[in-house]
Amino acid sequence: MKPFLIFDFDLKSDLSNWKIVNDAVMGGVSESKIYLNANGEGTFEGKVSLENNGGFCAVKYTFEPLILKSATHFCIRIKGDGKQYQFRVKTHRTDSHSYVFPFQTTTDWQTIEIPITELYPAFRGQKLNLPNYDGSNLEEITFLIGNKKEETFQLLIDSIEAK
């Protein structure tokens, strides 16, 4: 399958469908933001706090439904900070659960290939007894950091593709 570009960051990217969701939704005080840096890369950065039972920061991108048909992988081109993050997708943005794939970053640019069928269902950090993601529909993508410790972070995102 020819790669299908889901989002490509550049200096003219519209970030209006990218939203920050931090642990404040459950009383936490973690902080994060998403913006375009001088090179046009999506920059997701902030500080995770464990205060008030918090512990995560996330940025989610919602869009009109995509049917991935013959795609077998998501490919994310990112530059991290050596920390672990999660790539999450939702079949429908109203679903309570997400499909999750943890990945480790280095401090260099890397392309991470995520097998679609390895995204497992989870809700609030708990794995669910449901089938893994099948790629039939896609309405939301999220990057999340929540390593059960206080830390600052920065993840640069260049592009997200399905192939």
Side-chain angles (χ1 to χ4, degrees), residues 43-75:
T43 305
F44 173 45
E45 67 182 21
K47 181 180 188 306
V48 176
S49 169
L50 299 180
E51 284 183 51
N52 297 346
N53 296 315
F56 74 88
C57 292
V59 61
K60 62 173 64 176
Y61 173 53
T62 54
F63 41 86
E64 290 304 308
L66 294 175
I67 287 96
L68 299 178
K69 292 192 180 106
S70 58
T72 59
H73 290 78
F74 288 107
C75 291

Side-chain angles (χ1 to χ4, degrees), residues 1-161:
M1 171 182 162
K2 200 173 101 182
F4 176 78
L5 190 60
I6 296 170
F7 200 92
D8 188 24
F9 286 91
D10 63 34
L11 290 169
K12 298 188 271 321
S13 292
D14 177 3
L15 299 187
S16 60
N17 287 337
W18 288 86
K19 303 281 187 250
I20 293 294
V21 180
N22 296 330
D23 55 22
V25 297
M26 44 191 262
V29 295
S30 298
E31 296 178 0
S32 67
K33 58 187 173 181
I34 178 96
Y35 63 93
L36 293 172
N37 68 16
N39 297 325
E41 296 143 357
T43 305
F44 173 45
E45 67 182 21
K47 181 180 188 306
V48 176
S49 169
L50 299 180
E51 284 183 51
N52 297 346
N53 296 315
F56 74 88
C57 292
V59 61
K60 62 173 64 176
Y61 173 53
T62 54
F63 41 86
E64 290 304 308
L66 294 175
I67 287 96
L68 299 178
K69 292 192 180 106
S70 58
T72 59
H73 290 78
F74 288 107
C75 291
I76 54 174
R77 178 137 174 82
I78 50 108
K79 182 178 182 180
D81 47 16
K83 297 179 175 148
Q84 181 169 294
Y85 292 81
Q86 293 177 9
F87 179 79
R88 296 171 157 237
V89 301
K90 280 191 175 183
T91 305
H92 302 283
R93 69 185 65 142
T94 55
D95 289 348
S96 57
H97 68 283
S98 297
Y99 294 94
V100 179
F101 185 88
F103 65 93
Q104 183 67 40
T105 63
T106 66
T107 53
D108 296 316
W109 281 103
Q110 56 192 139
T111 299
I112 296 179
E113 294 212 359
I114 301 167
I116 284 176
T117 57
E118 287 188 25
L119 285 143
Y120 63 85
F123 178 68
R124 292 189 178 151
Q126 301 301 310
K127 199 168 181 179
L128 302 176
N129 188 17
L130 294 169
N132 281 6
Y133 183 62
D134 65 6
S136 61
N137 196 64
L138 179 67
E139 293 186 11
E140 185 178 284
I141 287 173
T142 301
F143 289 94
L144 180 142
I145 184 167
N147 295 321
K148 296 182 174 48
K149 62 183 173 187
E150 300 216 350
E151 59 187 341
T152 57
F153 67 90
Q154 183 181 71
L155 181 68
L156 302 182
I157 310 164
D158 180 44
S159 62
I160 305 162
E161 292 181 325

